[in-house]
Amino acid sequence: MSSKNIIPKTVNPDLQKEREGASFSSEEFAVWWAGGKEKLELNRTVREYMYKDFDYDESQQLYYKSHEDMCEFAVKSSIGAAKKLRQLQARRNPGGNEYWPTLFDEPELWSLHQAGNPFNVMYMVVVDALRTQCTPEQYTEFGVRVERFEVTATYAQTELGHSSHLRGLETRAEFDRLTDEFVLNTPSISAYKWWPGGLGQCSNHAIVMAQLYIDGELKGLHMFYVQLREEHTHEPRLGVHIGELGKKMGFLGVNNGFLGMKNVRIPRTRMLMRHAQVHRDGTYVKSPVDSLTYFAMLSTRCIVVRNSAVALASAVTIATRFSAVRRQSPIDTSLPEPQILDHVTQQLKVFPEIAASLAYRLAYNYLREFFNDTSKDINQGNYNRLPELHSLSCALKVMSTSDSAAGIERLRLACGGLGYLASANLCNIYVNTVAACTYEGENTVLLLQVGRFLMKSWRAAQSGAPLAVTASYLAEVQRNTEFGLWSGSWENLVKAMQFAAANKTRLAFKSLSNRIDKGETERMASSHTGIELTQAAQLHARAFVLHNFLVEVKGPKSKARSPALNRVLEDLLELYFVNVALNNMSDILRVVNLTDEDLNMLQARLGAALAKLRPNAVAIVDGFDFGDAQLNSTLGSHDGNMIERVFDAALKAPMNRKSVPKSFHEHLGPFMKSNI
């Protein structure tokens, strides 16, 4: 059968019925989700321009490529996107930067980098790191070149033997007074830089994190801007051993690499010296706050939270549309097979992920604003917000990535066997999301850092010292140890989660203190209390997400939205709150005296929340405003012609170009004949 004209030009009637039956405007939701009408229009016009010649067939053939071809395709695709963005910038606002390079790796253009973007790290991490860590003179000299894509650069921090334990990094940068240079070495295989995106064969420069030594004295970790390859020939420079890591689960063409250095010399002025300096005579000026070295990572973690929310939203769009057009398993055998979206078990797989997408997107909005305010404070010499920003960015990075990865897997399962097809694109969304559970800080390590922040906050609350805003509930719980009356209201559920988090924090603090009293060092006691610390950190993060979701939906901003949209957002809020409460009930029951009737009521509310969202589910995910090229899924297209698209993709598989494979003649056929 030919694949020609197999896909109808009309919209699946089930999907059309869902849209017509919605109680609110998907367009208003899209405006709200995008952050305003102007931003939505920008997104749409950019998509229209960038995807106008998008090759769906080529994108579906991606998984049939060899690793080398995949990497070449990734470079070709990403440079093609860069060229088009430059053209768009020149056409609409020459000299500006709102299109290029700002949008180069924004979610709207992810599908243009279907094999991954080898230059993602350059714009996601390196440019921001250079802006925040360089002096103005340094940024003018070499930072601007990276921003303009005159050179390529990556961020080399993780080593083969050390990742989240940054103080254990082995790469050395020793100051040579005679030549006014730093000499960089990776003294062992475990010291090799490992994982940087684009490092393998695409980057000719890198920000290298290394231990600074002056006259044999360790000064701690600092950043160095190092040229790795010759600009004109792209050959590795003297002393540089560089290569590609090979195939991975995801980010198939991102060209992650390794880097070893032997006596690589760079000018002294290539140490990033905005906060710490080494003068010509070897005098060392310490940074006012050590953690400023890692400030660029905080910005990256903010982006990870947003990306996780967007990835989950894209996956749930696919699963919701699939569930609306897939008919199976009669509820009443006298009637036709129902849409599987009518099954309450399917609703429980799908609808909570819609709500979680919103919860984490709104949490990101808060985190990004907090980051921007902290950046302004740092520029004024005020570093007071840094500990709270670090803690919150760690907590949200962990919970957004872990919840999104688990949610995307649930959504894949919700699509049955068809969700396992590469053409569904859920596998690609999943492997790219689950990677974020380990990059930019392994999740357990980050939870332990949040746990330490909570220990300091609990101690401060005991002494009456002021607390960070996001930890202020700890003082309230210490003042009012009894939860009080249970009403089950949204405010009550937030309070319950805060009490549960505070109780876990109290238990962790008690365990930590007991171990110290028995003679353990604080570091050893903290290690032995790791389980309690991570549990407290997770509940702390959930309490923040709940509180922020409530403020965003029911607070002053609600006045700018229509009553119809507010009702839908409140329905999503209700589902998220009840579902999270039920999933964390063992911790809530330790601090709240709930009866069996109270628990039955929560269970009934879960069913009611699913039923209220059922008529609006398709319209909500339409409001995420993903184009078909963005989703790149045979299951999630806007027209709902899922079966035809799946079949069309199968017909175009390379193995179907021949009626008889070569292996039949060489192996299968001869073997069967040998048994006759």
Side-chain angles (χ1 to χ4, degrees), residues 439-583:
Y439 69 64
E440 292 306 322
E442 193 275 332
N443 278 2
T444 301
V445 174
L446 296 188
L447 285 175
L448 289 169
Q449 293 180 22
V450 177
R452 287 193 285 273
F453 169 81
L454 292 174
M455 295 303 95
K456 293 178 182 178
S457 299
W458 188 262
R459 189 179 292 115
Q462 287 180 325
S463 67
L467 297 180
V469 173
T470 53
S472 59
Y473 67 90
L474 296 176
E476 181 184 347
V477 172
Q478 286 188 10
R479 288 192 301 268
N480 304 292
T481 56
E482 296 296 324
F483 179 80
L485 293 176
W486 169 262
S487 68
S489 68
W490 294 329
E491 292 79 6
N492 205 232
L493 286 168
V494 172
K495 183 180 177 182
M497 190 61 70
Q498 290 175 339
F499 263 69
N503 185 55
K504 277 290 187 183
T505 301
R506 177 186 65 82
L507 293 172
F509 186 84
K510 181 179 179 181
S511 180
L512 179 69
S513 300
N514 287 342
R515 289 186 165 102
I516 293 173
D517 290 343
K518 291 178 181 179
E520 293 187 16
T521 64
E522 186 160 352
R523 289 182 65 85
M524 184 62 71
S526 181
S527 177
H528 289 157
T529 314
I531 293 175
E532 296 99 313
L533 290 173
T534 56
Q535 290 171 340
Q538 287 175 315
L539 289 173
H540 169 71
R542 296 218 180 277
F544 170 81
V545 173
L546 287 179
H547 176 264
N548 185 68
F549 200 171
L550 179 61
V551 170
E552 289 289 331
V553 171
K554 293 296 291 180
K557 294 179 182 178
S558 64
K559 296 177 181 177
R561 301 187 293 260
S562 72
L565 178 56
N566 278 328
R567 282 192 293 271
V568 169
L569 296 180
E570 289 169 10
D571 290 343
L572 289 164
L573 179 79
E574 165 74 356
L575 175 59
Y576 188 77
F577 272 46
V578 172
N579 196 46
V580 168
L582 288 170
N583 288 338

Side-chain angles (χ1 to χ4, degrees), residues 241-267:
H241 183 206
I242 194 169
E244 216 261 354
L245 296 189
K247 297 189 78 168
K248 311 170 294 293
M249 283 176 61
F251 291 107
L252 302 173
V254 168
N255 199 227
N256 300 82
F258 62 78
L259 169 66
M261 293 174 289
K262 184 175 182 179
N263 297 326
V264 173
R265 289 180 171 269
I266 61 172

Side-chain angles (χ1 to χ4, degrees), residues 328-450:
Q328 195 163 283
S329 303
I331 300 171
D332 184 340
T333 55
S334 66
L335 297 174
E337 287 188 303
Q339 299 160 275
I340 62 172
L341 201 57
D342 288 335
H343 294 286
V344 68
T345 50
Q346 184 76 356
Q347 294 169 13
L348 187 58
K349 293 176 185 177
V350 176
F351 295 174
E353 309 309 335
I354 301 177
S357 302
L358 266 68
Y360 284 116
R361 178 57 180 268
L362 295 172
Y364 159 74
N365 291 346
Y366 180 99
L367 181 62
R368 174 51 71 180
E369 187 174 344
F370 193 1
F371 177 87
N372 292 339
D373 290 342
T374 304
S375 298
K376 294 175 185 175
D377 286 352
I378 289 172
N379 291 336
Q380 300 298 318
N382 180 356
Y383 310 105
N384 293 337
R385 290 181 187 232
L386 263 176
E388 183 178 16
L389 175 62
H390 173 73
S391 171
L392 185 61
S393 66
C394 287
L396 292 180
K397 186 268 184 186
V398 170
M399 301 312 294
S400 65
T401 57
S402 57
D403 282 1
S404 293
I408 293 165
E409 173 62 2
R410 277 190 291 272
L411 293 166
R412 182 190 69 80
L413 294 171
C415 293
L418 294 178
Y420 197 67
L421 289 170
S423 69
N425 202 34
L426 290 167
C427 58
N428 190 45
I429 297 170
Y430 174 75
V431 293
N432 290 344
T433 302
V434 78
C437 294
T438 46
Y439 69 64
E440 292 306 322
E442 193 275 332
N443 278 2
T444 301
V445 174
L446 296 188
L447 285 175
L448 289 169
Q449 293 180 22
V450 177

Side-chain angles (χ1 to χ4, degrees), residues 31-194:
V31 169
W32 172 76
W33 175 257
K37 188 173 183 178
E38 185 176 333
K39 185 64 168 68
L40 178 62
E41 289 305 313
L42 174 67
N43 292 345
R44 287 175 173 174
T45 57
V46 167
R47 288 204 311 260
E48 181 181 6
Y49 180 83
M50 297 297 291
Y51 287 100
K52 61 184 176 183
D53 53 359
F54 183 74
D55 190 334
Y56 286 93
D57 289 341
E58 183 179 40
S59 70
Q60 288 295 330
Q61 301 301 307
L62 178 70
Y63 294 98
Y64 302 109
K65 294 180 183 292
S66 69
H67 180 61
E68 183 176 359
D69 287 345
M70 188 87 73
C71 290
E72 294 291 344
F73 176 77
V75 174
K76 174 186 172 184
S77 300
S78 294
I79 295 302
K83 288 179 178 178
K84 291 186 73 172
L85 272 178
R86 279 179 168 176
Q87 293 167 0
L88 186 62
Q89 186 69 63
R91 177 179 298 183
R92 296 189 176 177
N93 184 21
N97 66 358
E98 66 272 37
Y99 299 102
W100 169 259
T102 301
L103 301 180
F104 184 46
D105 201 58
E106 287 294 289
E108 286 74 25
L109 303 185
W110 280 351
S111 282
L112 294 176
H113 312 281
Q114 193 65 25
N117 183 353
F119 312 103
N120 164 265
V121 172
M122 184 163 77
Y123 283 106
M124 184 177 177
V125 184
V126 173
V127 171
D128 277 348
L130 292 173
R131 282 178 183 148
T132 58
Q133 302 296 325
C134 284
T135 64
E137 295 78 15
Q138 287 180 316
Y139 194 77
T140 299
E141 182 182 354
F142 52 82
V144 169
R145 296 193 71 208
V146 178
E147 185 177 352
R148 291 175 178 170
F149 215 141
E150 295 175 10
V151 296
T152 55
T154 190
Y155 185 81
Q157 177 172 287
T158 296
E159 296 175 356
L160 182 54
H162 296 88
S163 51
S164 296
H165 178 50
L166 297 184
R167 290 187 180 88
L169 296 181
E170 299 177 65
T171 303
R172 298 168 65 98
E174 300 177 76
F175 181 56
D176 185 337
R177 292 175 180 272
L178 294 178
T179 62
D180 195 28
E181 294 174 315
F182 291 109
V183 184
L184 281 85
N185 281 281
T186 49
S188 65
I189 292 178
S190 61
Y192 264 58
K193 296 300 182 184
W194 201 263

